Amino acid sequence: MHTLRVRLRPRPHEAAGIDQRLFALGQLRNATVRAARKREVRMRAVPRWRQHSQIEDAAERRRAYAALRYEYVVGEKATRELACTHWKASLWMADLLDRRSANALGREVWTTIESWLYGGDGRPRTRHPHERACAWGNDMNGGLVLNPVGCR
């Protein structure tokens, strides 16, 4: 991954447009986190979740967890689809963001959910939409990190 720093001094109307897009990404992230977290909490509440952890054979345990994730529609693909569904249902986000942004955001949310489920990290939390200062590209190798000097 390459980092290119460019000094950006947007005009006031350009700064407002950037702020609107970042705010929309923040709104979309919060909606996706809430919905994905509900699915994971529901899945973890099932007694089978704990029973699967006691399966000795790793391949069998993996298959059992995969079946449970499929049943509760949990995973990267499902989280990406969830973000795209929220994006499409909003009716206003399409004016500011494209589908690729929603798809990339779904992957970002899945990464935080996955580290919570399997890595023991803290539960993903929603944030105020104005706290968002970056947007990733669809391939997760390109993106925009905004230092909000002159914006907001």
Side-chain angles (χ1 to χ4, degrees), residues 13 72 105:
H13 72 280
Y72 283 88
L105 190 83

Side-chain angles (χ1 to χ4, degrees), residues 46-81:
V46 174
R48 287 182 291 157
W49 175 264
R50 290 182 192 228
Q51 292 169 357
H52 292 336
S53 66
Q54 298 169 359
I55 297 174
E56 296 291 327
D57 183 31
E60 186 180 334
R61 184 174 54 243
R62 201 174 311 118
R63 279 193 300 273
Y65 276 128
L68 198 60
R69 283 192 305 270
Y70 180 78
E71 181 181 338
Y72 283 88
V73 194
V74 172
E76 181 181 346
K77 181 181 176 189
T79 308
R80 284 178 179 223
E81 289 173 356

Side-chain angles (χ1 to χ4, degrees), residues 17-27 97 129-130 132-135 144 146 152:
I18 291 170
D19 282 344
Q20 288 174 348
R21 284 170 176 77
L22 291 174
F23 185 82
L25 278 171
Q27 293 279 69
L97 307 172
H130 277 301
R132 183 134 192 114
C134 69
L144 168 70
L146 179 69
R152 296 185 191 169

